[in-house]
Amino acid sequence: MSSSSPPHPVRSALRAARPRNARPPRIVLTSAAALLALSATLTPAANAEESTDAALEWYDATAETIAAAGAPTQSTNSRTWAIGWLSAARALGSPPADVNRRHFQDAALASAVHASLVALVPARAAELDAALSRTLGRIPDGPAEERGVAAGRQQARQVLASREGDGLDPASVNEAFPVPEPKPGIWQPTPPAYAAATQAGNRKARPFLLEKADRFRPGPPPAPGSRRYRSDLAEVRAYGAADSTVRTARQTETAAFWFGSSLTLYTEPLRVALARSQRPVAARASLVALFHVALVDTQIATSDTKYAYVSWRPVTAIRSAGSDGDPATSPDPDWTPLHVTPAHPDYPSGHNTYSGAAEEVLTALTGPRTAPFPLTSPTAPGVTRTYTDWRTLTLENVDARVWSGIHTRYADEVGVTLGRDVARHTLRNAGALFR
């Protein structure tokens, strides 16, 4: 971008909202969100329902690409989303003054996301090429289309190059982690598979904006035998058992609803926010980019904390009760959780770091509430729930992991805080992404 180009609207808004030392983070975020909203005055936003919306078209193409041929590791797929949409947001920032703005931006967005996805998920090249042809086929031939395509491809090349070797490929994410020596409170492989630990390599990956993985690392979990430890373990023992007699049908449904991949479960809420936004396309692309940048950094921070403390899962704690030195507990070697425990430590809950970060970004950039929207889950077939705000999704995630029998409540609650902290950091420092 030449020095004479007009400033990127989102970058300008975020730069203006950089925190001053005397201002608390919440005020900074509110200001940043307000200024980002003001960027809508720079370009009239087309109603997504009045004409084909390139942002939604390529949002769906990204989701379909990840679903069909994405990586086996969630953080790798979050990285793919972040790269594609950061490329698009950058390409959209400064449309030439002498061409049709809408035509340029549609071509730039489609070309940026297309180039990123083809590079990262080459198995879907044919489908992505066809989608690009459909988008460009709606745009009149000429300088707007040509310069948009060039801008999108250029930004994709630059972002892809900047993330080369960042340690978020599946092999690096799932690097081998030695099983710790057994002792009270320390993670051990869990039944039924007793699989090796996963996602340990996330903590070594290069974040987008975090200075280091432990920037927001919380303090340790409650010590075995402490009051909080005992109360939370008693709760998950009662409510999270496969044969629980106290868990209600609604609670069981909630546990099943939120059991699947957070990336999958939050794809529709983010789409709702994107579809309902009346901001210009550059700001809308930035919403998707910032969401996934925050989630990549959150997953890195989550792994850092999990493997710093290697806290044992409820199933290990309950089956080993008494070995933690607490005479008030008794072991239950046959205790089984409602859902199979994932193969990594308890503290903090990754589902809840994800939900905390997602809620923070959506609230800061779109407001805390929205018109009712339905949501389904692949792990709860036939169930549809309706939401009107982002906070409820977080609250259900906290409860769900307890009722699944796979997390303690303190691991869930600290997870939400960690995710929010990382997301706030992303929003405070987002200007760096658009330089």
Side-chain angles (χ1 to χ4, degrees), residues 60-96:
D60 291 343
T62 307
E64 290 164 7
T65 297
I66 296 297
T73 46
Q74 180 170 274
S75 56
T76 309
N77 291 325
S78 295
R79 173 187 185 266
T80 298
W81 274 98
I83 288 173
W85 285 82
L86 178 56
S87 301
R90 287 180 176 182
L92 293 169
S94 302

Side-chain angles (χ1 to χ4, degrees), residues 169-249:
D169 58 284
S172 298
V173 167
N174 280 331
E175 71 168 18
F177 183 80
V179 177
E181 179 183 350
K183 58 181 178 179
I186 299 300
W187 180 85
Q188 295 291 297
T190 52
Y194 296 93
T198 61
Q199 303 178 23
N202 265 346
R203 72 196 195 282
K204 299 179 181 179
R206 172 160 50 90
F208 277 84
L209 288 173
L210 280 180
E211 300 87 355
K212 52 183 181 176
D214 65 355
R215 171 71 173 78
F216 297 104
R217 184 192 291 174
S226 66
R227 179 178 297 179
R228 180 66 192 267
Y229 172 89
R230 290 172 61 185
S231 66
D232 280 19
L233 194 61
E235 179 188 26
V236 71
R237 186 172 188 165
Y239 284 86
D243 59 355
S244 173
T245 60
V246 295
R247 187 181 58 244
T248 67

Side-chain angles (χ1 to χ4, degrees), residues 261-281:
S261 157
S262 294
L263 180 72
T264 299
L265 288 163
Y266 273 88
T267 296
E268 182 61 21
L270 179 57
R271 189 187 191 281
V272 167
L274 179 69
R276 294 177 179 180
S277 174
Q278 293 300 302
R279 294 173 181 168
V281 67

Side-chain angles (χ1 to χ4, degrees), residues 279-304:
R279 294 173 181 168
V281 67
R284 296 172 70 221
S286 296
L287 165 64
V288 180
L290 290 171
F291 183 97
H292 284 287
V293 164
L295 266 303
V296 170
D297 284 6
T298 293
Q299 289 170 91
I300 292 171
T302 301
S303 177
D304 166 76

Side-chain angles (χ1 to χ4, degrees), residues 356-380:
E359 178 195 335
E360 193 69 31
V361 172
L362 291 171
T363 298
L365 299 184
T366 71
R369 300 186 64 82
T370 186
F373 69 93
L375 187 62
T376 60
S377 167
T379 52

Side-chain angles (χ1 to χ4, degrees), residues 133-155:
S133 294
R134 287 193 294 272
T135 303
L136 297 182
R138 297 194 306 267
I139 302 171
D141 294 339
E145 179 187 46
E146 293 167 1
R147 293 165 75 173
V149 168
R153 290 175 177 170
Q154 178 185 16
Q155 290 300 331

